[in-house]
C-alpha cells in the first residue's frame, strides 16, 4: 500500500500499488472531473503531480500525450485516469468552484395545500399508579389518534425514559398510521422534511418546515458519482460490473446528500432526528442508484427499469442521515429514460391543468420533453448526450466560477463569465450563445461548418482573426491565452460544433415527433416552459436561432426554475400532490424515439442551424 495526498484538501488515502490517481481520488472522496468515467477519451481529468524525485511524470502514455501539451507534461500535469501509482505521491487537484445558488435560488412555481403525511401529536398521558398498572406501550397506544400500530422494539426500548423525561407529556410523530417516534414534551412546533433533487450533475436538498410548507434552507453539491462519468450510461456500466460497484455508486450519492443535510441542520439549528421524511426525484438511473437497485438493463433496448411506481423505504435502510425511522419516498418514473424528476416537473408546472398546448423541456445531462394538451400528456427522452453540460466539449465545463455563460459578437467578442474574472472554459449556456452569435455574423454556416472565402472578408478584423486553421480543422478562439485563467487559448473546434449539433438535433427531433403524435404543427404550441438550471440561463433568442426550440414569439417561452425540485417540495408537503404525481406518471404516454422510423429523418433535419417553424 502507498499513501496518496490530495491538495488543496489535504486528504490522504492508502491505495494499492498499481492503482490510478482517479481510483485513489474516488476512495478519498476527492472530486476529479472525469467526463468519460476513466476511459481515457475526454482528457478532462488533469491533475498535477507534485512529489519530488517522482518517476511518475516519466510514465507518459500515448493517451496523455494526445491531451497534454509539452509544457503541461513538464509541469507534472497528468491524466488521473491514466497515471498508475507506484510510490507515495502528492497530487494537486484543480477544484471547480461551483455556483450552486444558480440552482437553489429559483423562486418556486408550484403551490400546494399544506397536508403532509407526517404529523406531530402532543399527548398528556395519565401516570401509572397502584390502581393503573397499564404497560407504557399500551398506555401510549391507547392515547394515539390512530389504531392498529404494531409493536416497535426500537421505540419501546427508549419509551420508559421518554415518558418520564416529559412527565408523561409526549409528542407522537406519525406518518399516516405508522409511528415514527415519541419525543418528550410538546415538540409539535418542530416538524421538518427534506425535498431532494438527485441530478446527474448536481444534487440539491431543500430543508422544509412541514407545519408551514416553507423552505427553511437549501444546499447543493456536485453529484459525487461524477468521478464515474458525466452521463448515466457510464454509471450504469460501472454498476453493472457487480454488487460492490453498485454499492459504491449508491454510497457516493448518499454521502453527498448527507453532507448537505448536515450543513443545513447546523445552519438552521435543527437535529437530523427532527427530519421525519424525505421526498426524492431524479432520472430513472439516478433513482435506481440512490435506492441501490441494479440499473443494468436500463442501458440496452428495450430500456427496462426494475420499478416505475413510487417507492417508500426507511431512511436507515439507505444510510440517509435523517431520523432513522423516517420515510424516504422516491416519486414514480414514467419509463427507462423519463424519471421522477420529469414527474416532478409535470407536477410543478401543472401539466394536467394547463390550457391549450404546452411544451415542457428539461435540458440537462439528458433531455426530457413533455407535450401536453388535447387531454393527453406525451413524454419522450432525447439522447442529447452531455454537451449541454459542457462535457465532450474541449474547453467545456460545468456552470462554475470562470465558465463563459454568455457571448455577444459585434466588432469583437464580448463575454459574460460566471463570478467575473478570467475565463477557464465554457458552459452549456455560453456554448449555445457562442454558436448562435457565430451563426448570426457568418462565422459558421447553417450546416455548422466554419465559413471561408469571401464571407470572412465581411467580418470585422478582430473577429476574423479569431478564426484559424489547424492541421486537423478550423477553430474559433473565444479567449486568447493572455486573457484566460489557464494561459491557454479557449477555442471552439469543429468537433465542438458537431457535438452541439448532435445534442440539439436530438432535442428538436423529439419535439417534432411528439407534435406529430399529437397531430399538431409546432406553431400550434401555446407556450414553451423551460425547466432546470440550464434552461433558465440560456438566452431564448439563441436557443431559437440555432433551432434548439421551435420559432415562437419569445414571450411564449418561459423559464420555470428548478421545477423538478419544486415538484419534490409539493409532494413532501401535500398528500394530494403526491397522489397527483402517481396519476401523472400513469397518465403519461411515453413515446420511445428509438422505435420511430421517422426519428432519423427528423434528427438529420434538426442538425442544421436554422429556425424551425
Amino acid at each position: 500500500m502507498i499513501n496518496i495526498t490530495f491538495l488543496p484538501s489535504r486528504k490522504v488515502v492508502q491505495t494499492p500499488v498499481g492503482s490510478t490517481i482517479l481510483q485513489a481520488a474516488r476512495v478519498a472522496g476527492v472530486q476529479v472531473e472525469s467526463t468519460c468515467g476513466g476511459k481515457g477519451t475526454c482528457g478532462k481529468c488533469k491533475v498535477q503531480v507534485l512529489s519530488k524525485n517522482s518517476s511518475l511524470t516519466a510514465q507518459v502514455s500515448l493517451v496523455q500525450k494526445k491531451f497534454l501539451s509539452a509544457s503541461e507534461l513538464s509541469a507534472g500535469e497528468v491524466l488521473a485516469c491514466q497515471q498508475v501509482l507506484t510510490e507515495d505521491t502528492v497530487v494537486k487537484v484543480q477544484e471547480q468552484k461551483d455556483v450552486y445558488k444558480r440552482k437553489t435560488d429559483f423562486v418556486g412555481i408550484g403551490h400546494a395545500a399544506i397536508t403532509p403525511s407526517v404529523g406531530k401529536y402532543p399527548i398528556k398521558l395519565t401516570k401509572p399508579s397502584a390502581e393503573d398498572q397499564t404497560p407504557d406501550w399500551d398506555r401510549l397506544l391507547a392515547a394515539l389518534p390512530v389504531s392498529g400500530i404494531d409493536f416497535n422494539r426500537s421505540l419501546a426500548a427508549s419509551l420508559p425514559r421518554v415518558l418520564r423525561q416529559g412527565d408523561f407529556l409526549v409528542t407522537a410523530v406519525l406518518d399516516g398510521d405508522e409511528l415514527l417516534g415519541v419525543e418528550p414534551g410538546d415538540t409539535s412546533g418542530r416538524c421538518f422534511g427534506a425535498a431532494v433533487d438527485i441530478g446527474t450533475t448536481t444534487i440539491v436538498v431543500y430543508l422544509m418546515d412541514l407545519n408551514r410548507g416553507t423552505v427553511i434552507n437549501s444546499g447543493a453539491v456536485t453529484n459525487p458519482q461524477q468521478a464515474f462519468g458525466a452521463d448515466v450510461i457510464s454509471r450504469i456500466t460501472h454498476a453493472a460490473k457487480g454488487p460492490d460497484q453498485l454499492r459504491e455508486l449508491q454510497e457516493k450519492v448518499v454521502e453527498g446528500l448527507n453532507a448537505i443535510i448536515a450543513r443545513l441542520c447546523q445552519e438552521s439549528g435543527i437535529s437530523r432526528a427532527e427530519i421525519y421524511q424525505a421526498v426524492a426525484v431524479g432520472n430513472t438511473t439516478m433513482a435506481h442508484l440512490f435506492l441501490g437497485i441494479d440499473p443494468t438493463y436500463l442501458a440496452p433496448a428495450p430500456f427496462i427499469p426494475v420499478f416505475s411506481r413510487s417507492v417508500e423505504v426507511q431512511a436507515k435502510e439507505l444510510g440517509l442521515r435523517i431520523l432513522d425511522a423516517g420515510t424516504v419516498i422516491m416519486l414514480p418514473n414514467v419509463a427507462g429514460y423519463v424519471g421522477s424528476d420529469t414527474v416532478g416537473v409535470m407536477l410543478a408546472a401543472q401539466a394536467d391543468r394547463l390550457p391549450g398546448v404546452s411544451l415542457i423541456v428539461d435540458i440537462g445531462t439528458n433531455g426530457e420533453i413533455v407535450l401536453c394538451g388535447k387531454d393527453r400528456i406525451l413524454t419522450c427522452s432525447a439522447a442529447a448526450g452531455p454537451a449541454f453540460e459542457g462535457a465532450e466539449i474541449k474547453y467545456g465545463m460545468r456552470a462554475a466560477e470562470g465558465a463563459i455563460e454568455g457571448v455577444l459578437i459585434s466588432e469583437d467578442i464580448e463575454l459574460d463569465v460566471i463570478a467575473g474574472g478570467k475565463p477557464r472554459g465554457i458552459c452549456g449556456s455560453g456554448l449555445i450563445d457562442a454558436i448562435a452569435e457565430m451563426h448570426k455574423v457568418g462565422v459558421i454556416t447553417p450546416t455548422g461548418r466554419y465559413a471561408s472565402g469571401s464571407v470572412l472578408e465581411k467580418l470585422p478584423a478582430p473577429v476574423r482573426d479569431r478564426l484559424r486553421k489547424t492541421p486537423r480543422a478550423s477553430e474559433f478562439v473565444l479567449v486568447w491565452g493572455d486573457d484566460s485563467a489557464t494561459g491557454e487559448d479557449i477555442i471552439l473546434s469543429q468537433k465542438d460544433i458537431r457535438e452541439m449539433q448532435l445534442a440539439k438535433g436530438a432535442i428538436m427531433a423529439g419535439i417534432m415527433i411528439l407534435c406529430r403524435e399529437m397531430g399538431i404543427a409546432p406553431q400550434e404550441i401555446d407556450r414553451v416552459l423551460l425547466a432546470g438550471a440550464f434552461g433558465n440561463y440560456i438566452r431564448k433568442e439563441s436557443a431559437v436561432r440555432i433551432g434548439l426550440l421551435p420559432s415562437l414569439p419569445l414571450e411564449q417561452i418561459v423559464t420555470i426554475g428548478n421545477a423538478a425540485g419544486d415538484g419534490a417540495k409539493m409532494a413532501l408537503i401535500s398528500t394530494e400532490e403526491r397522489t397527483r404525481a402517481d396519476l401523472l406518471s400513469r397518465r403519461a404516454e411515453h413515446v420511445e424515439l428509438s422505435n420511430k422510423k421517422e426519428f432519423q429523418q427528423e434528427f438529420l433535419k434538426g442538425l442544421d442551424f436554422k429556425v424551425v417553424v
Side-chain angles (χ1 to χ4, degrees), residues 475-553:
E475 61 187 28
F476 187 80
V477 181
L478 289 171
V479 184
W480 298 107
D482 289 345
D483 299 319
S484 77
T486 61
E488 292 183 77
D489 292 346
I490 298 175
I491 61 100
L492 283 181
S493 68
Q494 188 68 71
K495 177 182 177 295
D496 295 336
I497 305 296
R498 293 295 182 222
E499 290 289 344
M500 175 54 73
Q501 286 181 279
L502 294 173
K504 73 102 179 174
I507 295 289
M508 182 51 69
I511 292 171
M512 297 302 287
I513 287 174
L514 289 192
C515 286
R516 188 173 299 175
E517 288 285 320
M518 190 169 281
I520 64 168
Q523 306 94 301
E524 296 178 68
I525 295 172
D526 295 296
R527 68 192 60 79
V528 178
L529 306 179
L530 296 179
F534 175 72
N536 280 263
Y537 284 99
I538 62 173
R539 280 202 301 156
K540 296 182 283 187
E541 304 94 316
S542 296
V544 171
R545 183 175 292 135
I546 69 170
L548 174 62
L549 297 174
S551 179
L552 294 169

Side-chain angles (χ1 to χ4, degrees), residues 109-112 342-356 358 360 370 372-373 377 527 529 560 563 566-567 570 577 580 584 587:
I109 62 165
H111 302 283
T342 303
V343 173
V345 170
M346 291 193 289
L347 192 64
Q350 302 194 66
D352 52 340
R353 298 170 181 171
L354 291 170
S358 301
I360 308 173
V370 180
C372 47
I377 298 176
R527 68 192 60 79
L529 306 179
I560 58 173
D566 288 340
M570 293 167 66
E577 296 299 331
R580 197 164 134 245
L584 282 167
R587 183 177 165 188

